[in-house]
Amino acid sequence: MSTVPPAGPDYDVIVVGAGYSGLYLLHQLRSRGRSVRVLEAADGVGGTWYWNRYPGARCDIESVEYAFSFSEELDKEWRWNERYSAQPDILAYLNTVADKFDLRRDIQVNTTVSSAGYDEAAHRWRLVTQDGERLSAQFCVMATGCLSKPKTPDIAGLDSFAGPTYYTSSWPHEGVDFTGQRVGVIGTGSSGVQAIPLIAEQAAHLHVFQRTANYIVPAHNHQLTDEDQTQEELAARRSNALDCPLGVAFEAGELNQLPAMELTAEQREAEFERLWRRGGLIMMLAFPDLLLEGEANEAAAAFLRKKIKEKVPDPAVAEILIPKGFPVGSKRLCVDTNYYETFNRDNVTLVDLTATPIDRVTPAGVRTSPVETELDALVMATGFDAMTGALAAIDIRGRGGVALSQAWAEGPRTYLGLSVAGFPNLFTVTGPGSPSVLSNMRLSIEQHVRWISDCIEYLAEHRIASIEATAAAQESWVAHAAEVAAPTVYPRGASWYTGANVPGKARVFMPYIGGVPAYREACEKEADEGYRGFALTPA
Ligand code: FAD
Ligand code: N01
């Protein structure tokens, strides 16, 4: 019996975050008899889909594959309207999930966790919220999201702008009407690429401030019918997705298996064209060697450059839109609807920040050397402190009071992206070191939630008080993850995958590139063999 009195209400598990991960964790853990409290900073559920309400926000994993797979009843009750659903539909879906499985009664919204410390004697996590509320639990699961902590852009004078500044990552719920306004958008990653075409349709004039041109493929979004989402179709897709490195469904024979250079130039072109017409992220899998640095990757880059020139007749504008200096895929591929066509409009100006960098934001607008662009509104599509940002924002202390930020000073180190040595009874969902953002996140979230729930059940059955990744297992996993990433293009780009978008952040390629099937096998082996990579302390 512990001598440390529980601080505040005590649970089996506290989950931080109520997006896809937090919702499914609550459902799983509660149905296995655990007492669970979910703490969420927002005033509603949905995570990513609660916050990112900018015009054009939608998924780029097909809706039917982005939907939870755990309930046939839910499948039957919900219908997706589009191949790639818009944010309001996905948020409505997640709210339906919360209602259908009666989740809200255990979710505490408007609650930001500011610290979490491990009480070694009691084997419990003690959490404190921004409002000073204290709660404790045997296990703490961080379902805080990989793309949930907006990055603070390093642009001088940002606060001095006289007009409104909107962040795509925390867009006003009531929407924004840009009619008649001169609008500036800074940022041309996935968020900017989705928002820019729609803002251009509304604004009097749109100025797009581009620092890096991205590789972009078309969505070819379209309406879905009931036949697209029968139970048989969903089952087939889910089963196919399990075998795909990215966790997305391809039918047998749909993907070419030959290295790019074993085909003639015409055959390669035809293959790229086929996937371009299909639309979406499948372009990344056109050739098995595409994501290795070399000729295959350069062939893909050449194909995408050609497409830009076809879509944008003004050669000077097309040249600015052509990505330079990094391989295809090393920064996340964007998926668009009407992005390039937007730059053919008379009311859109593309500002090349590599030629004229932003000097500062002024009360009147944005000054790039040597001109000042006057604006009525500014939109920041400047991205996230990805994968570690939301965790770093919480003062997390493990054994001996060691801070997670200290343990990760040189980049995140985890065992399987699920657990950190020195931080017993703490789990991370889709953490660094797991396929996470390189996969269909819904699939990877479900896999993690089941693994964590199984593990917690095992510990209860075997009367184990604490579980902690061993330093040896962690180091071996970190080394393996680095080894599989090394020959790929991923570590090369100055991307958020590597922390390069946040000044001062350690440069480490964070997700696991070994693929969903190999990763799942490693997790299953760990559980099947009784958690040999972990130290277990009996109660
Ligand atoms: P999140 O949805 O990020 O939820 C985390 C929650 O934790 C948030 O609600 C946050 O408020 C809360 N939180 C964080 N810190 C604290 C704290 N200290 N205290 C309390 N609460 C806290 N992935 C795909 O696979 N396919 C897609 O098409 C896709 N599209 C995307 C589009 C956008 C615009 C973005 C930004 C991401 C997209 N992603 C996509 C990735 C997406 O983040 C995941 O698919 C998924 O939604 C993540 O769910 P989650 O529950 O793990 O995290
Ligand atoms: O963020 P980003 P995002 N001055 O980091 C620029 C997911 N997602 O929100 O590349 C000028 O990709 C920055 O320029 P640079 C998806 O995983 C999915 O768009 O650093 N510019 C870049 O252009 C995605 O990858 C969807 O040179 C500055 C942009 O801002 C991830 O979320 C939709 C700057 C940031 O791009 C993040 O996407 C949306 C500065 N100081 C998001 N600072 C789907 O389609 C930054 N930039 C499903």
Side-chain angles (χ1 to χ4, degrees):
M1 187 122 157
S2 163
T3 52
V4 181
D10 191 54
Y11 302 91
D12 292 332
V13 189
I14 290 178
V15 173
V16 187
Y20 263 88
S21 303
L23 292 175
Y24 187 39
L25 270 163
L26 174 56
H27 179 58
Q28 272 284 321
L29 290 165
R30 212 173 59 182
S31 57
R32 295 172 190 224
R34 304 272 93 77
S35 65
V36 187
R37 191 72 170 164
V38 178
L39 307 177
E40 167 55 57
D43 71 0
V45 303
T48 290
W49 304 101
Y50 171 94
W51 294 106
N52 293 265
R53 297 173 189 235
Y54 58 85
R58 54 179 74 246
C59 55
D60 64 4
I61 293 289
E62 297 194 29
S63 313
V64 291
E65 293 182 41
Y66 198 44
F68 281 124
S69 72
F70 65 84
S71 163
E72 210 171 300
E73 220 180 272
L74 176 65
D75 288 342
K76 286 185 181 139
E77 283 172 20
W78 184 266
R79 277 291 161 268
W80 295 102
N81 294 322
E82 293 180 276
R83 180 187 190 191
Y84 298 110
S85 288
Q87 172 272 333
D89 283 349
I90 304 172
L91 183 59
Y93 171 75
L94 293 173
N95 273 293
T96 299
V97 170
D99 290 332
K100 180 172 175 54
F101 299 101
D102 189 21
L103 301 179
R104 292 187 205 276
R105 65 185 156 92
D106 290 317
I107 302 174
Q108 188 172 324
V109 295
N110 293 315
T111 305
T112 301
V113 173
S114 49
S115 71
Y118 188 62
D119 179 338
E120 290 176 57
H123 303 294
R124 301 201 95 67
W125 280 92
R126 312 287 189 201
L127 281 79
V128 183
T129 73
Q130 247 171 25
D131 294 337
E133 189 183 351
R134 291 166 182 278
L135 308 95
S136 58
Q138 184 182 3
F139 300 99
C140 176
V141 187
M142 292 298 178
T144 43
C146 294
L147 294 158
S148 54
K149 175 76 182 156
K151 152 188 143 155
T152 312
D154 47 341
I155 299 176
L158 204 49
D159 291 342
S160 70
F161 182 57
T165 302
Y166 304 103
Y167 282 78
T168 50
S169 51
S170 52
W171 200 259
H173 289 201
E174 63 281 11
V176 181
D177 184 0
F178 291 114
T179 307
Q181 295 189 9
R182 299 161 301 173
V183 182
V185 174
I186 300 179
T188 52
S190 297
S191 301
V193 164
Q194 288 186 327
I196 283 164
L198 294 177
I199 297 175
E201 282 176 15
Q202 211 177 48
H205 200 97
L206 175 65
H207 299 265
V208 176
F209 297 91
Q210 175 197 276
R211 187 163 70 182
T212 304
N214 270 300
Y215 289 105
I216 302 171
V217 293
H220 297 316
N221 196 16
H222 56 71
Q223 296 290 304
L224 292 184
T225 63
D226 283 352
E227 285 69 53
D228 294 321
Q229 41 201 320
T230 60
Q231 211 56 45
E232 295 70 38
E233 173 68 15
L234 295 180
R237 279 181 178 245
R238 286 167 186 163
S239 155
N240 286 347
L242 290 175
D243 296 331
C244 167
L246 302 181
V248 283
F250 301 115
E251 285 158 31
E254 196 178 357
L255 282 176
N256 159 70
Q257 300 298 327
L258 291 173
M261 292 303 141
E262 287 186 19
L263 276 67
T264 65
E266 291 72 29
Q267 286 170 327
R268 268 196 306 277
E269 185 77 2
E271 186 59 13
F272 285 133
E273 188 63 39
R274 184 174 75 84
L275 298 182
W276 175 272
R277 285 174 192 277
R278 190 184 188 281
L281 296 168
I282 193 171
M283 185 62 85
M284 306 255 292
L285 300 179
F287 297 101
D289 50 347
L290 194 149
L291 292 172
L292 306 176
E293 211 156 4
E295 287 174 305
N297 193 279
E298 178 42 41
F303 176 82
L304 295 172
R305 286 197 291 269
K306 185 191 78 172
K307 287 294 182 190
I308 297 170
K309 289 179 183 163
E310 283 172 12
K311 283 178 173 251
V312 181
D314 182 331
V317 177
E319 188 54 34
I320 300 171
L321 290 167
I322 286 176
K324 297 171 189 76
F326 61 97
V328 177
S330 62
K331 284 168 88 91
R332 193 179 183 281
L333 205 61
C334 302
V335 179
D336 87 299
T337 300
N338 287 331
Y339 181 68
Y340 290 123
E341 292 81 351
T342 299
F343 295 93
N344 301 332
R345 295 174 66 107
D346 291 337
N347 72 332
V348 175
T349 304
L350 178 61
V351 182
D352 178 7
L353 297 182
T354 61
T356 55
I358 294 178
D359 178 16
R360 61 179 297 112
V361 172
T362 66
V366 174
R367 194 164 73 215
T368 48
S369 45
V371 289
E372 183 168 38
T373 303
E374 291 193 2
L375 300 169
D376 301 307
L378 194 50
V379 173
M380 307 298 289
T382 41
F384 300 88
D385 182 350
M387 304 214 64
T388 56
L391 295 170
I394 305 172
D395 183 10
I396 301 174
R397 306 255 166 186
R399 264 193 302 107
V402 173
L404 186 66
S405 54
Q406 195 183 330
W408 284 6
E410 288 170 19
R413 305 179 85 73
T414 71
Y415 183 40
L416 297 167
L418 280 159
S419 175
V420 184
F423 295 78
N425 291 2
L426 180 78
F427 296 102
T428 49
V429 182
T430 64
S434 72
S436 182
V437 291
L438 294 180
S439 67
N440 172 356
M441 286 285 273
R442 184 279 304 164
L443 182 145
S444 288
I445 287 168
E446 286 188 350
Q447 187 245 333
H448 267 191
V449 168
R450 288 191 203 114
W451 192 95
I452 292 167
S453 307
D454 288 348
C455 176
I456 289 176
E457 195 166 336
Y458 174 94
L459 300 176
E461 277 169 10
H462 291 79
R463 299 187 47 76
I464 304 290
S466 83
I467 181 166
E468 177 188 350
T470 66
Q474 177 168 295
E475 287 321 295
S476 146
W477 183 253
V478 169
H480 165 66
E483 190 186 335
V484 288
T488 74
V489 296
Y490 283 105
R492 310 276 181 279
S495 68
W496 58 257
Y497 292 140
T498 63
N501 66 329
V502 176
K505 189 166 173 175
R507 291 283 289 266
V508 173
F509 177 68
M510 294 182 278
Y512 176 67
I513 182 61
V516 161
Y519 174 76
R520 188 179 54 248
E521 221 169 273
C523 291
E524 283 171 2
K525 183 163 183 276
E526 186 59 50
D528 291 347
E529 293 180 356
Y531 304 97
R532 293 202 315 203
F534 293 84
L536 307 183
T537 308

